């Protein structure tokens, strides 16, 4: 592990903000690191309000989108709500369809089959719309580059409204409206919305048009918060407001589908982390193992008993997904060892038998063992298909561009990508990709980094600090849970490895004459010897709370120690 202490922010800004807010310089420093420098910015950060949400009509084409939908409702047209099969897509479809159905009966949903149709708008989906008399398709979390598909639909007298958050190409589809805050000519104040977030802005505009207030849309925010967590978008600006209020809905009055997914979770209050690791994988499992329609059925079901039946099916898919993921990861690791590729600059593995629905998860898993750019291929029809995952600060999309002559097609962004190639090109691609990574990656990037917000003493940790750190939630990109460094710490003789394979580390640490704190290090059991016998160590950690038998105490969640 590489430890990197973030640069200290301007002392003048820190002292000024500390004075204005009446908080410690430590809290003020954490805020300035997150771009919060004024009283008003701090108010919006600590006390997000639904009134902080922007006017949806600031988004380019919003007026056209609302006008086209209102025309469809007034004239009794059939509306098809189309979305991708992942969490962002299925939550967006569930949100839009359930809102429209409160005014209009002629609404249906369509999720493309992951294996038969692939990602995004499909010709098969448009043919379905044409065969069944739909004249308006609302596409969510996809469509910004679907120029040919939208033209194909237009020839059949079907209009499209695109709601997307991916980067557009040079030309936009000729749709009735194209909503995407990343459009060059769109001056919407916040461009980090997820697909479901863009869908919510359209619902917000429709609601305004019908004299509804933002409070009337609160019940939909459990879906938006789930998409924000799953799609790993920055939890800043509007996303922070939507995530905060959405988590409130999840914890107090979730829709039956979400309630059915989480009712066996023993935690009293679910966080964005629980959304990412408990709710999202289960919704995703439907599209990975069976079909994304099952996720939409669950999320739009208003009868709890029926929702529980749907959830139990999805639970089985998730169990299957875990088994596949574990087995394929094991096989991929064996393949790396068999080929003596442990010291390569990249991981590229392939088996024709691997399940296409989990290769992205497997790519992420492999970076836990070999921290380097990773691509996992499987057979898909007469070609090979792959998912790629990168490491921090290395642009895997650029690397693929460098070797694109070997590929049929590819797409993605800095940290994740997908691609297809002809099977005979696999060996040449693998060699070329490893060479381009070797030539362009800085050696430091092959060592996982822990970015540290501040160095503190254990005596700095008190109830007020813990209370204020709670108010930094929800955590996520651009507002990660603060990481602290404390040096010259000693275990008081409590150090032990715990877990079925002694894979975790438990300590009780003090620094000089400070109060002692319990500390837990998941998957740090191998570092027991470093901490035993009251040796002096440096620790990096999150400040957490542990609840046991009704008692709540401060606990340090270790990330590493030296």
């Amino acid at each position: 592990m590489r430890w990197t202490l973030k640069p200290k922010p301007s002392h003048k800004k820190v002292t000024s903000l500390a004075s204005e807010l009446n908080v410690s310089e430590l809290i003020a420093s954490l805020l300035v690191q997150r771009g919060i420098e004024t009283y008003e910015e701090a108010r919006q950060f600590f006390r997000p309000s639904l009134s902080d949400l922007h006017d949806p009509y600031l988004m380019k084409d919003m007026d056209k989108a609302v006008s086209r939908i209102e025309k469809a409702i007034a004239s009794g047209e059939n509306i098809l709500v189309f979305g991708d099969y992942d969490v962002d897509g299925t939550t967006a479809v569930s949100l839009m369809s359930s809102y429209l159905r409160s005014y209009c009966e002629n609404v249906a949903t369509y999720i493309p089959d992951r294996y038969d149709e692939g990602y995004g708008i499909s010709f098969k989906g448009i043919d379905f719309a044409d065969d069944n008399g739909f004249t308006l398709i609302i596409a969510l979390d996809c469509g910004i580059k679907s120029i040919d598909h939208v033209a194909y639909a237009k020839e059949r007298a079907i209009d499209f409204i695109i709601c997307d958050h991916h980067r557009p190409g040079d030309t936009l589809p000729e749709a009735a409206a194209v909503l995407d805050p990343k459009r060059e000519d769109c001056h919407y104040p916040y461009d980090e919305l997820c697909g479901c977030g863009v869908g919510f802005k359209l619902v917000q505009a429709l609601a305004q048009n019908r004299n509804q207030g933002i409070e009337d849309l609160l019940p939909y925010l459990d879906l938006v918060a789930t998409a924000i967590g799953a799609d790993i978008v920055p939890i800043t600006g509007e996303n922070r407001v939507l995530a905060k209020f959405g988590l409130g809905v999840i914890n107090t009055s979730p829709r039956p589908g979400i309630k059915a997914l989480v009712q066996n979770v023993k935690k009293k209050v679910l966080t964005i982390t629980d959304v990412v690791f408990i709710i999202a994988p289960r919704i995703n499992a439907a599209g990975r193992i069976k079909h994304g329609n099952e996720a939409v059925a669950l999320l739009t079901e208003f009868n709890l008993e029926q929702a529980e039946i749907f959830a139990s099916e999805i639970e089985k898919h998730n169990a299957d997904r875990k088994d596949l993921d574990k087995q394929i990861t094991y096989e991929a690791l064996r393949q790396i060892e068999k080929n003596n590729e442990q010291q390569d600059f990249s991981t590229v593995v392939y088996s024709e038998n691997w399940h296409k629905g989990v290769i992205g998860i497997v790519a992420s898993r492999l970076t836990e063992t070999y921290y380097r750019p990773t691509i996992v291929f499987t057979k898909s029809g007469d070609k090979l298909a792959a998912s790629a995952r990168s490491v921090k600060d290395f642009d895997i999309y650029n690397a693929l561009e460098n070797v694109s002559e070997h590929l049929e097609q590819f797409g993605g962004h800095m940290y994740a990508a997908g691609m297809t190639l002809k099977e005979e090109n696999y060996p040449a691609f693998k060699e070329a990709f490893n060479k381009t990574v070797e030539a362009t990656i800085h050696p430091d990037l092959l060592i996982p980094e822990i970015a540290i917000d501040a160095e503190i003493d254990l005596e700095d940790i008190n109830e007020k600090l813990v209370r204020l750190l709670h108010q930094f939630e929800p955590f996520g990109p651009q507002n990660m849970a603060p990481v602290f460094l404390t040096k010259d710490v000693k275990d008081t003789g409590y150090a032990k490895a715990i877990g079925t394979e002694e894979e975790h580390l438990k300590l009780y640490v003090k620094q000089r004459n400070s109060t002692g704190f319990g500390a837990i290090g998941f998957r740090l059991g191998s570092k027991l010897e470093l901490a035993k016998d009251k040796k002096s160590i440096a620790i990096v950690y999150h400040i957490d709370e542990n609840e046991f038998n009704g008692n709540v105490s401060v606990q340090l969640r270790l990330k590493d120690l030296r």
Side-chain angles (χ1 to χ4, degrees), residues 167-322:
R167 293 211 173 276
D170 295 334
T171 310
L172 294 175
E174 288 190 20
V178 178
L179 304 178
D180 188 335
K182 291 190 176 76
R183 276 178 67 164
E184 287 291 330
D185 58 349
C186 179
H187 304 298
Y188 190 73
Y190 187 72
D191 66 358
E192 295 291 356
L193 293 167
C194 60
C196 188
V198 176
F200 178 77
K201 297 310 292 188
L202 176 51
V203 165
Q204 189 187 349
L206 287 163
Q208 275 180 216
N209 204 46
R210 291 171 172 267
N211 297 317
Q212 288 177 299
I214 191 69
E215 290 77 14
D216 296 312
L217 304 180
L218 262 177
Y220 299 99
L221 292 186
D222 53 356
L223 293 170
V224 184
T226 299
I228 287 169
D231 225 49
I232 319 178
V233 289
I235 303 208
T236 56
E238 273 196 313
N239 282 342
R240 182 170 173 81
V241 178
L242 294 167
K244 185 114 177 174
F245 282 90
L247 282 169
V249 176
I250 288 170
N251 282 301
T252 55
S253 52
R255 64 193 46 240
I258 287 180
K259 187 174 185 179
L261 284 178
V262 301
Q263 59 189 3
N264 294 327
V265 178
K266 292 180 171 59
K267 287 182 72 174
K268 285 180 185 171
V269 179
L270 297 178
T271 66
I272 203 82
T273 306
D274 299 314
V275 168
V276 172
F277 291 105
I278 297 169
I279 299 175
R282 284 161 173 77
I283 295 172
N284 252 334
R288 290 184 191 282
I289 304 300
K290 197 75 181 278
H291 200 288
N293 285 334
E294 292 195 15
V296 174
L298 172 74
L299 296 173
T300 54
E301 178 56 57
F302 286 99
N303 178 288
L304 182 58
E305 279 185 27
Q306 184 59 51
E308 285 169 348
I309 293 167
F310 288 150
S312 69
E313 280 301 306
I314 281 177
E315 199 62 52
K316 287 176 196 163
H317 298 329
N318 195 46
D320 291 344
R321 188 271 305 166
K322 282 182 182 173

Side-chain angles (χ1 to χ4, degrees), residues 221-520:
L221 292 186
D222 53 356
L223 293 170
V224 184
T226 299
I228 287 169
D231 225 49
I232 319 178
V233 289
I235 303 208
T236 56
E238 273 196 313
N239 282 342
R240 182 170 173 81
V241 178
L242 294 167
K244 185 114 177 174
F245 282 90
L247 282 169
V249 176
I250 288 170
N251 282 301
T252 55
S253 52
R255 64 193 46 240
I258 287 180
K259 187 174 185 179
L261 284 178
V262 301
Q263 59 189 3
N264 294 327
V265 178
K266 292 180 171 59
K267 287 182 72 174
K268 285 180 185 171
V269 179
L270 297 178
T271 66
I272 203 82
T273 306
D274 299 314
V275 168
V276 172
F277 291 105
I278 297 169
I279 299 175
R282 284 161 173 77
I283 295 172
N284 252 334
R288 290 184 191 282
I289 304 300
K290 197 75 181 278
H291 200 288
N293 285 334
E294 292 195 15
V296 174
L298 172 74
L299 296 173
T300 54
E301 178 56 57
F302 286 99
N303 178 288
L304 182 58
E305 279 185 27
Q306 184 59 51
E308 285 169 348
I309 293 167
F310 288 150
S312 69
E313 280 301 306
I314 281 177
E315 199 62 52
K316 287 176 196 163
H317 298 329
N318 195 46
D320 291 344
R321 188 271 305 166
K322 282 182 182 173
D323 290 345
L324 282 166
D325 152 15
K326 196 173 177 182
Q327 178 61 27
I328 295 169
T329 301
Y330 171 77
E331 290 174 16
L333 289 170
R334 290 293 302 272
Q335 192 177 116
I336 292 165
E337 290 166 13
K338 186 182 170 191
N339 295 339
N340 292 317
E341 293 166 348
Q342 297 95 322
Q343 303 305 316
D344 282 5
F345 286 83
S346 67
T347 296
V348 182
V349 288
Y350 161 60
S351 168
E352 64 177 28
N353 299 318
W354 290 342
H355 194 291
K356 193 179 171 190
V358 298
I359 56 175
I361 302 173
V362 171
S364 296
R365 292 264 188 270
L366 293 177
T367 63
E368 293 170 12
T369 305
Y370 299 103
Y371 189 75
R372 58 200 189 189
T374 296
I375 305 177
V376 179
F377 279 93
T378 188
K379 195 81 181 267
S380 179
D382 60 348
K383 294 191 175 75
L384 305 193
S387 274
R389 296 292 182 270
S390 193
V391 294
K392 190 173 180 232
D393 294 335
F394 183 76
D395 193 327
I396 203 161
Y397 186 89
N398 280 355
L400 290 171
E401 269 193 323
N402 292 343
V403 295
S404 58
E405 70 271 18
H406 302 288
L407 298 171
E408 292 290 289
Q409 59 185 53
F410 72 101
H413 51 79
M414 183 169 178
Y415 291 120
M419 72 211 75
T420 57
L421 54 66
K422 291 178 180 170
E423 188 163 8
E424 60 266 27
N425 292 340
Y426 173 76
F429 167 80
K430 179 171 178 169
E431 184 181 352
F433 181 75
N434 194 56
K435 278 181 179 170
T436 198
V437 173
E438 182 178 1
T440 55
I441 198 164
H442 190 284
D444 281 355
L445 300 187
L446 295 168
I447 305 165
E449 179 191 41
I450 298 175
I452 299 160
D453 290 85
E455 182 177 345
I456 63 171
D457 290 328
L458 291 186
E459 64 185 18
D460 296 326
I461 302 171
N462 53 42
E463 281 185 18
K464 186 178 180 184
L465 176 68
V466 174
R467 195 169 63 248
L468 282 167
L469 289 177
H470 269 309
Q471 292 181 38
F472 276 61
E473 296 174 10
F475 297 122
Q478 295 182 30
N479 178 40
M480 301 301 281
V483 177
F484 300 104
L485 162 67
T486 301
K487 294 175 181 171
D488 194 24
V489 168
K490 292 179 182 177
D491 175 75
T492 57
Y494 185 82
K496 60 182 176 181
I498 59 170
T500 50
E501 297 174 15
E502 298 193 340
E503 67 271 37
H504 310 309
L505 180 66
K506 200 159 189 185
L507 310 175
Y508 191 83
V509 294
K510 283 191 172 186
Q511 184 190 37
R512 298 181 290 277
N513 297 317
S514 74
T515 303
F517 292 99
I520 182 83

